[in-house]
Amino acid sequence: MGNLFDNIEKRGISVGFDFLNQESGFGIAQTLVEYDETSTHSKVFLVGILNTILVSVLGIITASIIGLFIGIGRLSSNWIISKLSMIYVELFRNIPILLQILFWYNVVLASLSSPRQSLVFFESVFLNNRGLYIPKPLLQDGFIFVAISFVLALVAIFYLSKWAKKRHDETGVKFPIWTVSFGIIVFSTTIVYFLSGSPIELEYSSLQGFNFVGGYNLLPELLALWFALSIYTATYIAEAVRAGIEAINKGQSEASLSLGLSKGLMLKKVILPQAIRIIIPPIINQYANLIKNSSLATAIGYPELVTVFSGTSLNQVGQAIEIILMTMAVYLILNIIVSMIMNYINAKMKIKER
Amino acid sequence: MIYNTIQAKEAPSNTKGAIHWLKENLFSSILNSILTIMAFYLLYMIIPPLINWMIIDATWSGSKEEITKDGARWIFIKEKFHHFVYGFYPEEFYYRPNLALVLTFLYIYIFRKTNNKNIRYFIFFSYPIIIYTLVAGGFGLEHIETHKWGGLLLTIVVATVGIIVSFPIGIILALGRASNMPIIRTLSTIYIEFFRGVPLITILFMSSVVLPLFFPSELEFDKLLRAIIGITLFQAAYIAEVVRGGLQAIPKGQYEAADSLNLPYWKSMGFVILPQALKISIPNIVGSFISLFKDTTLLLIIGLFDLLAMVGLTSTDSNWLGFETEGYVFVALVYWAFCFSMSRYAKTLEVKFNTDNK
């Protein structure tokens, strides 16, 4: 401890959390809240956390979708699909995530052309070496009606499904709840949307000079990180899905087939309800890993917590202990939130025993 | 004769042969047929260009100026191969890490063959000293500073030292977490949950920036040593969880049997519980070694030149600009080969140790 204070004194580092109120003096390429060079380091902290959460949420969504398909694909009766799924898992799981991030960033995205020769999709989405440009929805006055009708539709579906379940339990008559719910949502929302005068306008990106203005710009750093995290984490999710389904005893599927259930009904009513209990804990574990892995963004400079706060802010104020402890605390808290969600789901999913 | 033997009929032609196999496995339903066609289209889009780039159009030999084909230019890898493997280790001493590798295999072989305890002890305690001397120098061998180590050499050094040192720490933490003493249990649990809850990169920052602050400033703290300390502390938490899994799988009767023999704690753990628990955790330990091996890539963020960092470094050579793609693909293949073979090994172990009758 004596050494610690000696060293701190010798290097002229100040102690305490006063630095949080100092002006940061540097800009950040992507901020979800208002931020400029005159903002404080505490604002940098917030911007970093939000950017971490942004890429984590994006990654969790896509990794789950890819992982689910690949995991089911591995169990497919189709030979080529199951082999391709296996190759996907074995290929991407055994290459370090940092290498994948750097590959996407330095090789794939860096090889894209300049804004003037962008790749164009649907005449509104542009991809070039400065990132992906997508239209930005601008909400007009009447949008509140659309929102209200959407919420009303959800409420209606909630009660409808309750009624349908009750009737099914009592009389055994089925009700096509999915089709009807989908119809209600699409139909009512579309009608109200046009009645209230199409209250969403799209702001398109357009080329002005050497760069695009307007719309949303997804930075190449964000894209590289997002792709790499999704592809890498999806391999683990796929394995969890496969292991969960395989863990269900073969007798279960034979029993349901001998009851005359169709393959679809067997999956829906017998296999998945049992498998989901086994699948969810490891998947949520992977979500936590994905959040932690998002810190590797610092290698390509995506402005998340470790890059802007443990990187740039630390270089400016030099208070390593405080800053790194704060960063660690954020990840610990995010981790605790994720495991609380898991405990909640586990409790809900538990087989109700008497 | 009551009955006549009838020659067994051949199975109908639609239940065997290639056509049947195709029908069963690729075109069993409309959806499957569509998926099959899409999958083949995907393969058609990926495989031929990839083979062209990697093999047919690739440049395998010659000098940089003679490149005419537009495939992979593997001559870059050839030219920089020693950097990828040894970093900046002096060329005339390459034999030393090579010898260390050969010795390692020899030692493992002898260790497994011999039943003599003294030889085993000798190997166990002399091995680290000999390997360290060979790679780093000392006892008359020229000293080679750690900042010259790099490439695959550094990756392997960090991964092996990390796993070997974290192993005993991990076991102690696992025992601590399963202990009856509340203070020890709480401390172990906090340690494990803390290190598992934060990203490795923050721990590496901590060990490279904060750790030196705690020591007298005269003490020059080796950068590699700092990184290894960080990685070891991190890895120990994961090993502890793996071992804890093993401890929990041991039936309670084993604990009770050891107690009823009146074995003291350390003896009952050392001779009864741990040998069984460690044996069933070996596949998972290999698994956590694979993650450690992949995690060593993070060293590049704190400025050490591991295998992955060599790609960035070699492609900044002004004579060899723009060869990153080849570098990344080559390094990815190396990592993949290591990790894939280890995960296969873990799988065979799992089958071997799976003694319950499922």
Side-chain angles (χ1 to χ4, degrees):
Chain A
M1 269 304 168
N3 288 325
L4 175 64
F5 293 120
D6 276 0
N7 282 319
I8 284 178
E9 204 165 39
K10 233 176 262 168
R11 297 180 195 194
I13 308 172
S14 44
V15 194
F17 290 93
D18 290 342
F19 72 92
L20 285 175
N21 300 320
Q22 282 171 26
E23 205 172 272
S24 70
F26 59 88
I28 297 179
Q30 173 194 300
T31 55
L32 296 180
V33 288
E34 220 155 287
Y35 172 90
D36 58 43
E37 280 107 61
T38 58
S39 304
T40 58
H41 284 292
S42 52
K43 203 67 179 279
V44 175
F45 186 55
L46 179 69
V47 167
I49 295 176
L50 289 176
N51 282 342
T52 294
I53 293 176
L54 173 74
V55 74
S56 303
V57 170
L58 287 175
I60 283 173
I61 294 171
T62 40
S64 307
I65 296 172
I66 303 173
L68 193 67
F69 278 107
I70 300 288
I72 294 174
R74 276 200 78 170
L75 296 169
S76 164
S77 61
N78 188 322
W79 182 81
I80 185 116
I81 294 290
S82 79
K83 282 287 170 282
L84 277 181
S85 309
M86 188 191 80
I87 292 173
Y88 174 92
V89 170
E90 294 295 353
L91 179 67
F92 289 110
R93 199 170 53 158
N94 288 315
I95 296 176
I97 170 82
L98 184 58
L99 201 166
Q100 298 191 33
I101 294 174
L102 291 175
F103 186 83
W104 279 102
Y105 187 65
N106 289 335
V107 176
V108 181
L109 294 177
S111 70
L112 291 171
S113 44
S114 66
R116 278 170 176 261
Q117 283 106 35
S118 305
L119 295 171
V120 185
F121 307 97
F122 309 114
E123 295 184 3
S124 57
V125 178
F126 304 91
L127 183 64
N128 56 50
N129 58 10
R130 300 210 184 155
L132 185 72
Y133 292 82
I134 53 174
K136 180 179 186 176
L138 297 174
L139 308 180
Q140 310 290 322
D141 284 341
F143 182 74
I144 186 78
F145 296 116
V146 181
I148 290 173
S149 79
F150 185 75
V151 173
L152 283 179
L154 285 185
V155 173
I157 288 167
F158 176 74
Y159 282 106
L160 188 70
S161 64
K162 250 186 150 173
W163 168 82
K165 187 171 185 311
K166 195 166 160 244
R167 195 182 69 158
H168 182 239
D169 287 350
E170 282 168 0
T171 63
V173 183
K174 273 191 252 170
F175 185 79
I177 189 71
W178 287 102
T179 334
V180 173
S181 310
F182 185 72
I184 291 178
I185 286 210
V186 173
F187 196 63
S188 67
T189 317
T190 327
I191 285 190
V192 176
Y193 177 77
F194 285 112
L195 279 183
S196 57
S198 313
I200 301 178
E201 259 178 38
L202 289 179
E203 180 195 290
Y204 293 102
S205 315
S206 58
L207 189 63
Q208 294 194 355
F210 290 104
N211 212 347
F212 280 92
V213 279
Y216 282 121
N217 175 18
L218 305 186
L219 299 175
E221 291 83 10
L222 173 64
L223 293 177
L225 189 65
W226 181 17
F227 292 163
L229 284 176
S230 317
I231 289 173
Y232 183 77
T233 314
T235 64
Y236 289 91
I237 293 179
E239 281 300 274
V241 170
R242 180 180 71 108
I245 296 179
E246 276 183 345
I248 300 306
N249 199 312
K250 208 173 172 219
Q252 293 286 328
S253 49
E254 286 169 353
S256 40
L257 287 178
S258 66
L259 281 175
L261 294 186
S262 69
K263 273 223 157 146
L265 261 183
M266 171 188 91
L267 264 181
K268 200 172 129 197
K269 297 281 181 194
V270 181
I271 305 294
L272 281 182
Q274 300 183 68
I276 202 94
R277 283 192 197 96
I278 310 172
I279 295 174
I280 282 183
I283 286 188
I284 294 192
N285 225 338
Q286 288 309 320
Y287 292 165
N289 281 343
L290 188 145
I291 296 174
K292 283 186 275 172
N293 281 336
S294 74
S295 62
L296 298 179
T298 184
I300 55 171
Y302 169 72
E304 49 73 73
L305 185 61
V306 174
T307 313
V308 291
F309 195 62
S310 307
T312 324
S313 281
L314 195 154
N315 284 338
Q316 296 216 342
V317 296
Q319 290 183 247
I321 300 181
E322 290 90 339
I323 286 182
I324 294 177
L325 284 181
M326 280 174 76
T327 311
M328 285 175 159
V330 170
Y331 284 100
L332 282 177
I333 290 169
L334 288 177
N335 237 23
I336 290 170
I337 293 174
V338 168
S339 59
M340 267 164 45
I341 296 173
M342 173 151 84
N343 289 341
Y344 173 76
I345 294 177
N346 273 346
K348 272 217 118 166
M349 289 278 174
K350 220 164 120 188
I351 300 176
K352 311 255 179 330
E353 284 173 3
R354 263 173 284 183
Chain B
M1 215 170 210
I2 304 170
Y3 59 85
N4 296 321
T5 9
I6 301 173
Q7 206 71 47
K9 264 194 198 162
E10 280 214 357
S13 61
N14 61 354
T15 59
K16 58 170 192 179
I19 305 270
H20 171 69
W21 186 89
L22 283 177
K23 220 175 160 185
E24 192 84 327
N25 291 304
L26 293 179
F27 301 100
S28 59
S29 65
I30 296 174
L31 178 69
N32 265 341
S33 308
I34 295 171
L35 285 176
T36 304
I37 291 167
M38 274 165 58
F40 274 113
Y41 182 69
L42 187 74
L43 285 179
Y44 170 75
M45 294 295 285
I46 294 175
I47 301 290
L50 195 66
I51 290 179
N52 272 340
W53 185 79
M54 285 188 80
I55 298 165
I56 298 174
D57 283 342
T59 313
W60 294 91
S61 59
S63 73
K64 205 184 92 187
E65 285 69 31
E66 293 162 19
I67 296 175
T68 49
K69 296 190 267 187
D70 52 1
R73 300 153 296 180
W74 297 125
I75 45 170
F76 169 67
I77 305 295
K78 251 175 140 176
E79 172 76 21
K80 300 285 178 190
F81 188 74
H82 57 285
H83 278 144
F84 281 113
V85 179
Y86 302 100
F88 301 104
Y89 208 84
E91 222 165 327
E92 62 270 31
F93 296 125
Y94 281 171
Y95 73 92
R96 283 164 47 178
N98 293 348
L99 191 62
L101 189 68
V102 174
L103 265 183
T104 305
F105 284 119
L106 196 69
Y107 268 23
I108 293 174
Y109 180 77
I110 298 174
F111 196 83
R112 292 181 64 146
K113 284 285 158 190
T114 180
N115 283 322
N116 186 330
K117 260 202 171 154
N118 289 332
I119 297 181
R120 285 193 163 184
Y121 280 131
F122 174 74
I123 286 179
F124 191 79
F125 290 108
S126 68
Y127 175 75
I129 302 169
I130 291 182
I131 297 298
Y132 179 80
T133 316
L134 264 179
V135 179
F139 296 111
L141 286 173
E142 185 149 348
H143 207 75
I144 291 156
E145 288 128 344
T146 53
H147 66 82
K148 288 185 181 159
W149 305 11
L152 189 59
L153 170 68
L154 186 82
T155 298
I156 291 178
V157 164
V158 174
T160 30
V161 175
I163 195 82
I164 291 172
V165 182
S166 66
F167 196 62
I169 307 177
I171 292 178
I172 290 177
L173 282 170
L175 290 177
R177 200 173 179 174
S179 155
N180 292 324
M181 287 177 273
I183 296 178
I184 292 182
R185 193 174 58 228
T186 317
L187 286 180
S188 312
T189 311
I190 290 176
Y191 178 97
I192 294 170
E193 291 303 326
F194 173 77
F195 277 94
R196 281 162 45 91
V198 298
L200 176 55
I201 187 67
T202 57
I203 292 169
L204 287 176
F205 278 155
M206 200 64 155
S207 68
S208 64
V209 182
V210 180
L211 201 61
L213 291 180
F214 285 90
F215 291 90
S217 46
E218 304 84 62
L219 195 77
E220 200 45 56
F221 224 131
D222 189 84
K223 204 175 181 181
L224 180 62
L225 181 64
R226 279 181 280 169
I228 289 182
I229 291 175
I231 282 197
T232 308
L233 293 178
F234 179 78
Q235 188 65 17
Y238 284 83
I239 295 282
E241 280 303 272
V242 169
V243 174
R244 186 169 78 115
L247 285 176
Q248 281 176 344
I250 304 300
K252 226 178 161 204
Q254 297 289 326
Y255 290 88
E256 290 164 355
D259 282 349
S260 63
L261 285 173
N262 203 14
L263 288 179
Y265 178 78
W266 289 110
K267 278 197 175 161
S268 80
M269 284 299 149
F271 294 123
V272 181
I273 307 297
L274 276 180
Q276 305 180 65
L278 290 182
K279 188 183 161 197
I280 51 175
S281 355
I282 286 178
N284 288 332
I285 292 173
V286 178
S288 104
F289 181 67
I290 297 174
S291 337
L292 172 64
F293 194 81
K294 287 190 282 182
D295 281 343
T296 55
T297 50
L298 268 64
L299 294 177
L300 87 88
I301 298 178
I302 56 165
L304 286 165
F305 294 109
D306 74 317
L307 180 56
L308 178 56
M310 278 299 153
V311 179
L313 202 69
T314 48
S315 52
T316 53
D317 179 346
S318 52
N319 287 324
W320 294 89
L321 286 175
F323 285 79
E324 273 157 326
T325 313
E326 282 83 356
Y328 281 120
V329 171
F330 170 71
V331 169
L333 282 175
V334 175
Y335 277 110
W336 187 84
F338 270 91
C339 297
F340 181 72
S341 47
M342 284 191 283
S343 73
R344 283 286 115 147
Y345 179 62
K347 239 180 206 153
T348 56
L349 285 180
E350 214 167 310
V351 175
K352 203 169 129 193
F353 291 147
N354 189 3
T355 40
D356 62 15
N357 310 308
K358 234 189 229 166

